[in-house]
Amino acid sequence: MADGEAALKFQVIVQDEAVLDRDRALIAFLKARIAERGEVAGDDEERLLAGVSQCLLEFEEKFDHPHRGDDQHSFFAGQLQALSWSLRCTAFAVFSGHPDFREDFRP
């Protein structure tokens, strides 16, 4: 393997780990915000939080799937990316003012 090829492979691994770390933190962040807001939410906000919770649940199930990293161009990988993007958009739109919001959650 050439040095350039090895460096590229290392870069991809580091980027993948950064995405995994971001997504783990995003899951924890959103669970905490849903729990906080759920205590004081009105009817409309409860429906919004229920939708976000459902999306988060599906994301978590796919996130922990054993074949998560098998093919980055598969339908499964596309679903995972779409769910992550949706949750990051929600986190940014609704909770970006929270002190625990991380800039890497920004879509």
Side-chain angles (χ1 to χ4, degrees):
M1 180 182 309
D3 287 342
E5 214 175 304
L8 181 60
K9 213 174 214 184
F10 178 73
Q11 181 180 2
V12 169
I13 290 169
V14 169
Q15 288 172 337
D16 288 347
E17 285 300 315
V19 168
L20 289 173
D21 289 345
R22 179 204 64 208
D23 288 348
R24 284 185 193 102
L26 178 64
I27 289 168
F29 175 79
L30 286 172
K31 282 183 172 184
R33 301 299 72 77
I34 290 167
E36 287 173 358
R37 293 302 312 155
E39 296 175 5
V40 296
D43 289 344
D44 289 340
E45 190 176 8
E46 279 182 14
R47 283 192 291 277
L48 170 70
L49 293 174
V52 174
S53 292
Q54 184 62 38
C55 186
L56 186 58
L57 178 64
E58 186 175 342
F59 181 64
E60 276 187 291
E61 288 172 356
K62 291 182 183 334
F63 185 82
D64 292 328
H65 194 277
H67 298 292
R68 177 176 201 241
D70 287 355
D71 180 1
Q72 295 301 317
H73 303 289
S74 69
F75 180 73
F76 179 80
Q79 287 180 314
L80 195 58
Q81 290 169 358
L83 287 166
S84 174
W85 180 261
S86 296
L87 290 169
R88 288 176 28 226
C89 287
T90 300
F92 177 69
V94 180
F95 302 115
S96 62
H98 192 279
D100 293 337
F101 181 82
R102 291 177 21 176
E103 280 303 307
D104 62 343
F105 295 162
R106 186 181 292 271

